[in-house]
Amino acid sequence: MPTRDDYLRYIRAAYAREHGRLDAEIAAWQKQFRANAALNTLFGYSPPRWSLHMAAVAAFLHEQTGDIAYAHEAADILLRFPEWTRLLPAEVIATRPEYAEGVPPLDTTFDPLVYGAACARIRLALDAATYARLAEIAADSLRPIWRFPEWGGHNRALLRAASLAICARAFPEHARADAWTEMADELAEESWGRWSIEDAVMYQAHWLRALVQYAEARGQAPALVDFVQPRLTLRAASQLMSPVGILPDIGDSHWQASGQWEWLACLEWGAATYRDPLMKWAAARLWEASEGTTPNIHGAQALLLAWRWCDDAMQPAAPADPLHDALDDLVVKKVVFRTGWEARAAYACLNYRDEGSYGRVARDYLRTTLAVSAEKMHHGHADEGGFSLLVHDGTVLLHEGGYRESPPDGMYRGDYYHNRLIWRPGALSAGADATALRDLGRYRPVTAERLYLTRLGDVEIARVRVTDAAAGVQWDRSVFFVSDMPCWVVIDAAFALNDAARTFGLLWWTTDVLARGPAWADTHIAGVQSWRNARDAALRIYTPDIPGQTLRRSEARDRRSFQEETLLATLHAGEQRGGQYLNFVTVLWPHAYALPDDTAAPAVTVTPAEPAGRGLAVRLEWQGATRLLAAANDLEAGWLAEDVRPRYAFAQGKAAYGSLTTDAAFAVVDERAGWAGFIDGTRLDLAGATLYEGLPHAMFQEDRSDRPGVPARFRWTGRLSSGS
């Protein structure tokens, strides 16, 4: 468990290692600045952030030690920021009206909160004239906010608010201090006691960090504690923590750099504020995952908050329940599967977050203000229903697509770059591979909802639904997590809302294919950019044929996450009639990196339901155990047309999966363990014997008459020999 002393040692080590590199860093920044003229036009002036962070660390060390040399070093760096603005060519300045009163020395969004805090730490060591010069740099940096007061429940608005509030506190005598405070409150309003509208791990950390800093600067920290939003955001991050000590890089996030240090600081604040041992555990996992890395000044600056918010008296603890994985289905909208909380556990995260039904005005404001048509508002990807991260035995086996490469394009944000089912209008030609589905266009709004998250015996079951009304497609993804293998059985059902020619692609991304079979591939991710993955595990991806459907497989190389990767796809193209279901099946089985022989791997068989289109079952045979996992396509098949209650009718809604017949949404039969069960049904028959049948119950109708019916039972399990 990291302590304040650990953070302080890191900060001191980073300073000792890097403080002599200031001139070299400035020279490198100047070279890069001149080479990136296009970005200067696109985003405007971007100052040398390394220098700002070095000054912030020096100011902190002055506060710690009282050594005035640190304060003078920090001030000398901070006072130089105006001189660097002269590198911006006059022709670029002329294109940007917000520079009419001068180029802001600092990035208006991300830098003033760091700058203001550093100035406050060294104030007593400086004369009044020098501190007044620092105040004017802050004022010049904050001035553009009045031209673009970007508001809404997201990080960019709250970072501005925190910057304004911190600078108002650091420079209370400045003539603009009251205006800074007023604007800070205006920009923070959409986040104060409300949810962030973002779906990006990196930017969620920025939002939460800025929320706490704004509250502190405005003297509102006690009021912040009463809100559920920061507490549940931190709780969700703790639940999302993977066994390898990273958070899934969902949305506009960078691999292993997606606000990990910012999250650590926020989790330390949450652990101390809410006395939450899980948050302390999550902070410790982030710290442990970074052990062995060389201390650097950017990390040190981020850890200034971790040091300040850390409470050494808090002890970390993961939940006793290894499957404590359900996050809320209204805002966060993630499902996590795990065998436990230890470093070698199996883990997968499925994201089904859509834009949401809250913060509409703020989302529309962003849509009409920024060039962000490739995202869901804000910073989110078209990843609804996708597997964001899968880990087994310390090895990453599925990962996200990455941030965009060349702004303002939307590369990697599209559905094509995620581990999910996608669809396109028209029928793809027979000779085309899945790269023909690549789409760098606009985000297509969908709605997403969680239908089920429960378990039968040792099998955890989740089902999420994504509805694309414009394309006429409703997609249900059902996931059975068999934890003792472990493996994930994924059944996708695409329902046509209208008649149309469509192409569907079930996509799984990797870097290396180690071996291939007729309907499977053993895969491994060698690394993500410069990061090298462990070789303790590999992932077998089964994509079996579906009797009665025409599917073909495609393997192609394409660019994703700043590198060349391999896309394994199962494709279907053709006319789809309204009301018709199309199914895909994937079995994700992690195993040791050494390739298994045929007898060690599970056998996978798919059995479509009767009547056709009603659903399907997957039979898994592995190490002497046989499980049948069934999922219904149409969850309303058994609802009577007549407006009576209950409306369930087994005879109308039943589906036969070989020897198993049920009207349930899900059913599991474990032959070796000798049990069967279902979710949301009225009856289950196996091999001609009725194992469960709901009993009729009289209910009053809306016309005041009484009529008996059989209500569905949510979950039932029983022995195969029980007969009842």
Side-chain angles (χ1 to χ4, degrees), residues 264-542:
L264 191 154
C266 292
L267 287 162
E268 287 285 17
W269 176 85
T273 300
Y274 303 117
R275 316 312 297 170
D276 190 317
L278 177 58
M279 294 179 192
K280 190 70 172 181
W281 171 87
R285 290 297 297 122
L286 286 170
W287 177 257
E288 291 161 6
S290 71
E291 287 183 334
T293 60
T294 303
N296 63 81
I297 210 66
H298 292 302
Q301 190 280 138
L303 289 179
L304 300 182
L305 289 175
W307 177 88
R308 183 156 67 85
W309 290 335
C310 175
D311 181 354
D312 289 345
M314 272 300 300
Q315 294 299 308
D321 181 359
L323 294 171
H324 179 67
D325 53 25
L327 304 178
D328 86 280
D329 64 342
L330 295 176
V331 180
V332 179
K333 305 183 85 161
K334 311 285 187 287
V335 175
V336 175
F337 307 91
R338 65 170 81 238
T339 56
W341 297 85
E342 65 277 7
R344 291 287 170 175
Y347 165 102
C349 174
L350 184 146
N351 186 26
Y352 63 101
R353 167 75 186 270
D354 52 12
E355 278 196 6
S357 58
Y358 66 96
R360 173 61 183 267
V361 173
R363 287 186 283 114
D364 285 347
Y365 169 71
L366 293 172
R367 221 185 311 272
T368 54
T369 305
L370 303 176
V372 289
S373 59
E375 332 167 6
K376 61 190 180 195
M377 296 298 110
H378 191 300
H379 286 297
H381 291 187
D383 56 358
E384 299 93 346
F387 276 75
S388 300
L389 184 65
L390 191 148
V391 174
H392 177 66
D393 203 14
T395 308
V396 173
L397 300 174
L398 291 175
H399 76 101
E400 264 293 4
Y403 209 158
R404 62 190 179 188
E405 280 201 47
S406 179
D409 71 51
M411 194 172 187
Y412 307 149
R413 288 168 169 166
D415 55 6
Y416 170 80
Y417 296 97
H418 297 87
N419 297 300
R420 54 163 292 180
L421 185 73
I422 68 173
W423 44 89
R424 298 287 184 266
L428 190 69
S429 63
D433 63 29
T435 59
L437 303 177
R438 188 191 304 113
D439 186 356
L440 298 179
R442 293 175 176 269
Y443 172 76
R444 292 181 292 275
V446 300
T447 58
E449 54 192 325
R450 189 183 76 198
L451 303 184
Y452 296 93
L453 182 57
T454 185
R455 59 185 305 142
L456 281 171
D458 62 348
V459 180
E460 189 168 359
I461 301 171
R463 184 167 181 154
V464 300
R465 172 171 292 172
V466 176
T467 302
D468 185 342
V473 174
Q474 179 179 284
W475 164 44
D476 282 12
R477 167 158 278 185
S478 298
V479 181
F480 297 83
F481 178 47
V482 185
S483 57
D484 68 340
M485 292 181 63
C487 82
W488 290 262
V489 176
V490 184
I491 299 177
D492 292 307
F495 178 68
L497 300 174
N498 52 36
D499 296 354
R502 298 184 177 94
T503 298
F504 290 89
L506 174 61
L507 310 182
W508 300 102
W509 289 89
T510 187
T511 64
D512 300 336
V513 176
L514 308 178
R516 297 172 179 82
W520 57 265
D522 272 312
T523 66
H524 179 261
I525 293 171
V528 183
Q529 300 154 47
S530 62
W531 173 82
R532 296 295 89 190
N533 196 16
R535 288 193 174 187
D536 294 333
L539 180 67
R540 177 162 293 192
I541 302 176
Y542 292 86

Side-chain angles (χ1 to χ4, degrees), residues 3 56 87 114 181-182 201 239 284 298 306 321 383 423 428 472 480 482 531 611 666 709 715:
T3 64
L87 289 176
V114 176
T181 297
E182 182 180 357
V201 167
Q239 292 171 302
H298 292 302
D321 181 359
D383 56 358
W423 44 89
L428 190 69
F480 297 83
V482 185
W531 173 82
F666 301 101
R715 176 172 45 240

